[in-house]
């Protein structure tokens, strides 16, 4: 759809301030991330968004890697996120990274378990 490209470019182009911005140092926050597949997905999409409709390199998003904060209730996903990071770096370059944190969507946002979610929404 016509709105998708501008929405993704806007989300990845530069750090944003205000509600909905990723915490400092991250391009995206994945809530209920499971193994962190958002990292390779965004790492694959980002370079494609640099190309204009005519195929010319617009360098909209720079050459930096994608940084994802992966949040989930299950602590066991942390190992899997690490494996996804390693595979993404092996296939797509060392500049990509992800960090894992815990959250619990069954608790209120203000609960201590959701501190990282609250930061992401601040």
């Amino acid at each position: 759809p016509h709105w998708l490209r501008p929405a993704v470019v806007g989300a990845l182009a530069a750090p944003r301030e205000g509600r909905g911005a990723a915490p400092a140092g991250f391009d995206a926050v994945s809530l209920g991330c499971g193994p962190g597949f958002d990292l390779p997905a965004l790492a694959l999409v980002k370079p494609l968004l640099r190309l204009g409709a005519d195929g010319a390199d617009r360098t909209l998003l720079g050459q930096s890697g994608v940084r994802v904060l992966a949040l989930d209730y299950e602590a066991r996903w942390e190992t899997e996120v690490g494996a996804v990071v390693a595979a993404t770096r092996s296939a797509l370059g060392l500049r990509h990274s992800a960090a894992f944190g815990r959250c619990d969507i069954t608790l209120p946002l203000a609960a201590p378990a959701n501190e990282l979610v609250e930061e992401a929404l601040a």
Side-chain angles (χ1 to χ4, degrees), residues 13-93:
R16 297 173 298 153
E17 294 182 14
R19 190 166 180 84
F26 294 98
D27 297 306
V29 176
S30 175
L31 182 61
C33 68
F37 288 145
D38 301 316
L39 176 65
L42 291 171
L44 284 168
V45 168
K46 188 173 180 178
L48 297 175
L49 295 173
R50 289 178 48 235
L51 299 178
D54 59 359
D57 185 349
R58 301 288 188 240
T59 315
L60 294 171
L61 304 175
Q63 300 297 322
S64 66
V66 173
R67 299 153 307 178
V68 173
L69 175 58
L71 302 175
D72 202 288
Y73 175 78
E74 291 294 334
R76 294 176 293 201
W77 281 123
E78 185 170 11
T79 301
E80 313 315 326
V81 169
V84 169
V85 169
T88 302
R89 287 178 170 175
S90 175
L92 302 174

